[in-house]
Amino acid sequence: MLIRNATLPDGRTGVDLLAVDGRIAAVGPQLPAPAGVEVVDAAGWLLSPPFVDAHFHLDSALTYGQPRVNRSGTLLEGIALWGELKPLLTEEALVERALAYCDWAVGRGLLAIRSHVDVCDPRLLAVRALLHVRERVRPHLDLQLVAFPQDGALRSPAALAQLTQALDLGVDVVGGIPHFERTAGEGAESVRLLCELAADRGLRVDMHCDESDDPLSRHVETLAFHAQRLGLQQRVTASHVTAMHSMDNYYVSKLIALIAEAGVHVVANPLINITLQGRHDTYPKRRGMTRVPELMAAGVTVGFGHDCVLDPWYPLGSADMLEVAAMGLHVAQMTGTDAMRACFDAVTVHNARILGLEGYGLEPGCRADFVLLQARSPVEALRLRAARLLVVRGGRVVARTPAAAAQLQLPGRPAQVDFTLPPR
Ligand code: FE2
């Protein structure tokens, strides 16, 4: 496949890209078209590497309303509701929902997802279902699974054994939820145990960490300590870390340096953080998202995750990482030029680094995975939640979406508008 006349996220225009045997063979102006190659005119639209979601829950996705809806809309009712739903899950229904969500993802140009899977179920039903789904979708989507002890690795009696069993079955990453353990001490102990387990097995770590509004929650500090102690730099992710929003500024000035030094990545989940945090506040009401621009400024890789779609915690969502990034941009007040651009990176290159994806990017030698967006720049893509005109995996088109436009019926005005800024 030869893509003609694309704009790249770094601002280069009039670029051609040649894909051969599933890899990018060449990138540059006016490439010669080898015989028999499919030529696609990008018409100057933005060609980006695919979207990546660094934090998702595929086992609960699309269960909205089962067995009932979350009336209060709170995190705690969500956890209780998930507890009611778990015994009712069947492997077949779970597989069908997960496959349906992966279809949405491909349609949105989202070709890699790190999903947590709850291991606090003696049947490990969701683990088995998602391992099956991971293989089913492998040709078109990279699914990375995290063994997530939702009810606490130490608080839930069999959780640690079940988590280990999930890893034996082939789950990729070690999860945790230290702030949900009984005490701060047990939380810290769970971080130590889980990091050692990951180090022993050569696995990555991704913990739900300090997902609260408690200014004294300290588990990310412990996570950074063990990441460094065990040589797990660049392989550990602290997810949510919403407590950092509420922490004392002096303490945070020490903490951010510690996170950067330990090479720990951070994932914020803007849609979920802005809706679930600050629920005990009256007014003023805290936003609750972690300190994204400050972490980025310190050199920490910060990604954005979708976290939930139509599940006990969140009644909305549609696998659109541009919606996620746009919310992150607003909540973090990242409206500066470079800051907006960084929000696009947070759902593409940053998340790819967090997942450790091989061959991600638009350089020769990278996998021929990309998405053609109906926008002229990454910031315009964010503004418009731009249509994914073409989604390509391994040099093959896997999804198309018609260009978005309104047909006007106004005398003397254009027949059509597409909301992109006309080129100057
Ligand atoms: Fe989560």
Side-chain angles (χ1 to χ4, degrees), residues 378-422:
V379 172
E380 190 165 70
L382 287 170
R383 180 174 67 82
L384 297 175
R385 323 288 192 270
R388 284 69 166 170
L389 302 171
L390 209 63
V391 181
V392 175
R393 169 80 165 185
R396 204 172 60 84
V397 176
V398 288
R400 289 177 195 274
T401 303
Q407 314 301 320
L408 295 191
Q409 306 200 3
L410 298 173
R413 298 306 302 155
Q416 180 172 299
V417 287
D418 69 6
F419 308 99
T420 61
L421 195 61

Side-chain angles (χ1 to χ4, degrees), residues 31-104:
L31 297 177
V37 85
E38 180 194 356
V39 179
V40 175
D41 180 12
W45 295 124
L46 176 67
L47 189 74
S48 168
F51 296 108
V52 181
D53 187 353
H55 188 110
F56 195 63
H57 295 264
L58 195 50
D59 50 1
S60 53
L62 314 194
T63 61
Y64 183 71
Q66 298 179 32
R68 60 183 179 86
V69 298
N70 182 339
R71 292 266 163 225
S72 65
T74 58
L75 173 61
L76 291 180
E77 188 177 340
I79 293 175
L81 184 47
W82 177 236
E84 291 169 37
L85 176 57
K86 256 196 280 190
L88 309 177
L89 294 174
T90 69
E91 196 166 331
E92 297 70 33
L94 217 151
V95 166
E96 280 314 307
R97 278 194 299 266
L99 289 174
Y101 185 79
C102 290
D103 293 342
W104 294 10

Side-chain angles (χ1 to χ4, degrees), residues 55-57 116 148 150 208 211 239-240 269 272 307-308:
H55 188 110
F56 195 63
H57 295 264
H116 295 255
F148 173 50
Q150 171 78 71
H208 285 65
E211 188 186 0
S239 280
H240 289 288
N269 296 293
I272 307 309
D307 201 7
C308 302

